[in-house]
Amino acid sequence: MDQFVLTFPVQNRFSDNELFEFCSANPDLHIERDSNGNLLIMSPSGGFSSNVHLKVYHQFANWVFANEALGYGFDASGGFRLPDQSMRSPDAAFVSKPRWDSLTDEQKRQFPPLCPDFVIEVRSTSDALPQLKLKMGEWIKNGCQLAWFVDPVEKQAYVFKPGFGTKHVDFEQRLDGEDVLPGFEIDLKKLLPPG
């Protein structure tokens, strides 16, 4: 998805509360903040990527509902305040029950101050591949234990884990939630429309 970057002088950058209020006042915009305090305003996804995202999210949501004792799932409208001071909003995320339950009610209502245990990002046709790979690395640097980057444009996916580097997976294979999301799999070839 295309993004527009708003850069602020250091002394004028939004506090966490101001950022939450700004995002709340502009609910139709998809807004993130990078670690330098810049606001990233992203356009909606195209139809092809949106369809793939729905299929991914549907399978993810089914797993979350069947495994509620393990933790909580989040969709693309949820932002997380990460240790590097960025605020990111993955296409789907999972936070283990003990980590989520340790937050205060106020922290849960705003942008939770933690990095999800698991994230999924789905590439839109207008997304730049190098930029998204960097973003996936940022998830891992901030504490994410498993991150999937699904690229329906090139029909491939990437798996990111701490101390593991990046694993390339083509669309003839499955993605495995490993010990972070036990029993969760996505058959990548089923994400694409027939033909």
Side-chain angles (χ1 to χ4, degrees), residues 78-147:
F80 294 89
R81 200 173 75 232
L82 304 181
D84 69 0
Q85 302 307 307
S86 63
M87 187 282 290
R88 295 293 188 169
S89 178
D91 290 325
F94 176 81
V95 176
S96 67
K97 185 170 177 42
R99 294 182 68 227
W100 181 256
D101 291 348
S102 72
L103 298 176
T104 67
D105 288 343
E106 183 176 349
Q107 289 172 324
K108 292 175 185 177
R109 281 192 292 271
Q110 295 197 5
F111 300 128
L114 55 73
C115 184
D117 299 281
F118 170 76
V119 299
I120 303 172
E121 298 277 10
V122 178
R123 182 183 183 193
S124 180
T125 52
S126 60
D127 285 334
L129 189 57
Q131 180 183 356
L132 283 173
K133 285 184 177 179
L134 285 173
K135 183 178 180 182
M136 299 308 291
E138 290 173 7
W139 281 116
I140 299 303
K141 288 178 188 171
N142 277 283
C144 185
Q145 296 304 302
L146 179 64

Side-chain angles (χ1 to χ4, degrees), residues 31-56:
I31 302 168
E32 294 184 353
R33 177 177 65 191
D34 68 16
S35 60
N36 296 317
N38 301 316
L39 295 188
L40 313 172
I41 301 172
M42 284 152 281
S43 65
S45 296
F48 179 73
S49 297
S50 178
N51 178 259
V52 171
H53 179 263
L54 176 71
K55 292 173 184 175
V56 168

